[in-house]
Amino acid sequence: MKDDFNITQEIIFVDCFNTLIFRKSTDSEIIKAWDMELSQKFNIPAKKIYRSYKNINFRLCFSKFFREGALIESFETVIKKMIMKFQEKYPSLNSDEFKNFALEIYIKKESMVHFVKEDFIVFLRKQKEEGKKIFIVSDFYCTSSVISTWLESLGIDDLFTQVFSSCDYNKEKATGKLYRFLLGELKVDPNNIIMLGDNLWSDVFMARYNKLKAKCIKGKF
């Protein structure tokens, strides 16, 4: 940790992926492992599942960007669209079974490739011991409960007061809407909050635009 990395604010917002949690595999590799399990379970070709996920996700995100300036569509919404598409060819496909299994396997496949940087965890524990409140604030396509599952699996869930995911509120850091929502929700002075993340736009510029303090910690831990 850099010697000049001093936090005076009482509330710390922490980004999730590539700040707190890192992956040993790429998104595409995780999805390919995921679609193989779905293929075996529902007898749908793995390539068809992979292409369907990628194409539907791209179309939904593209549409959302032009409607709202937002960049992320929820995992559950993508899965629902996939089910509608597959039921045209596989009418006996059980939508609830497919949805539940898809989420269960995705959570499992993700958790298998997660790791954290121990020096950052030590830093956060020190902040918590000093009385700081630490929140996860993430632009992500899964709900806060899913992120909480991964935090528990990594043994770091005790560090955080609460987890906020853009998926739960349909508001993103990238547009500034999630910050504005949280300021109203937590009813705190933005000057008493610092955002820590790796993304210069979402985690630094948009946080500062909404009067929060912010630091890019990429490469600092």
Side-chain angles (χ1 to χ4, degrees):
M1 184 180 68
K2 299 293 185 182
D3 292 336
D4 62 351
F5 204 84
N6 183 42
I7 289 180
T8 59
Q9 289 76 23
E10 295 179 4
I11 294 175
I12 303 173
F13 286 176
V14 179
D15 176 47
C16 189
F17 284 97
N18 299 319
T19 297
L20 177 70
I21 297 177
F22 294 82
R23 295 179 175 109
K24 300 173 187 174
S25 303
T26 65
D27 286 344
S28 291
E29 288 169 339
I30 294 167
I31 293 299
K32 285 180 179 178
W34 169 79
D35 66 38
M36 285 298 295
E37 295 237 17
L38 286 174
S39 174
Q40 292 168 11
K41 173 77 172 176
F42 297 101
N43 199 28
I44 301 173
K47 286 185 177 179
K48 183 171 289 189
I49 295 173
Y50 180 80
R51 285 197 301 268
S52 177
Y53 176 84
K54 287 291 186 178
N55 290 340
I56 290 172
N57 187 54
F58 176 80
R59 289 200 303 272
L60 290 174
C61 290
F62 188 80
S63 174
K64 195 169 189 179
F65 176 77
F66 279 96
R67 288 196 325 269
E68 308 170 24
L71 301 169
I72 299 171
E73 188 54 84
S74 75
F75 184 79
E76 188 170 333
T77 298
V78 176
I79 297 303
K80 286 179 179 178
K81 294 290 185 181
M82 288 175 65
I83 291 169
M84 291 171 61
K85 180 178 176 63
F86 288 147
Q87 283 180 330
E88 294 174 2
K89 187 168 185 179
Y90 308 96
S92 63
L93 181 68
N94 185 294
S95 58
D96 287 337
E97 185 182 11
F98 187 95
K99 181 183 70 174
N100 294 335
F101 188 76
L103 182 57
E104 175 189 340
I105 294 304
Y106 177 72
I107 291 172
K108 175 184 172 184
K109 293 300 180 184
E110 272 278 2
S111 65
M112 290 171 64
V113 301
H114 288 171
F115 69 96
V116 294
K117 292 185 177 180
E118 190 57 36
D119 52 352
F120 187 49
I121 301 304
V122 170
F123 168 77
L124 291 178
R125 290 201 180 281
K126 183 175 182 293
Q127 302 305 309
K128 185 177 176 69
E129 288 168 4
E130 292 177 357
K132 309 288 177 63
K133 290 184 178 180
I134 309 173
F135 298 84
I136 297 287
V137 180
S138 178
D139 277 353
F140 195 55
Y141 44 81
C142 287
T143 64
S144 58
S145 62
V146 172
I147 295 175
S148 295
T149 298
W150 293 327
L151 297 176
E152 185 176 357
S153 177
L154 289 163
I156 57 174
D157 54 307
D158 62 301
L159 279 171
F160 305 100
T161 301
Q162 194 169 346
V163 178
F164 294 103
S165 173
S166 60
C167 175
D168 291 318
Y169 308 103
N170 197 30
K171 302 176 192 297
E172 297 178 17
K173 291 183 296 182
T175 63
K177 291 181 179 180
L178 185 56
Y179 291 122
R180 291 192 286 276
F181 170 78
L182 292 180
L183 288 173
E185 184 79 1
L186 299 174
K187 296 180 173 58
V188 292
D189 182 348
N191 287 308
N192 202 27
I193 304 173
I194 186 168
M195 177 73 211
L196 305 180
D198 70 300
N199 189 294
L200 286 173
W201 176 263
S202 300
D203 298 324
V204 179
F205 178 80
M206 289 309 297
R208 290 177 179 173
Y209 181 78
N210 284 282
K211 312 303 181 185
L212 284 70
K213 305 298 181 184
K215 284 191 179 185
C216 179
I217 65 166
K218 190 172 185 178
K220 295 189 186 300
F221 290 87

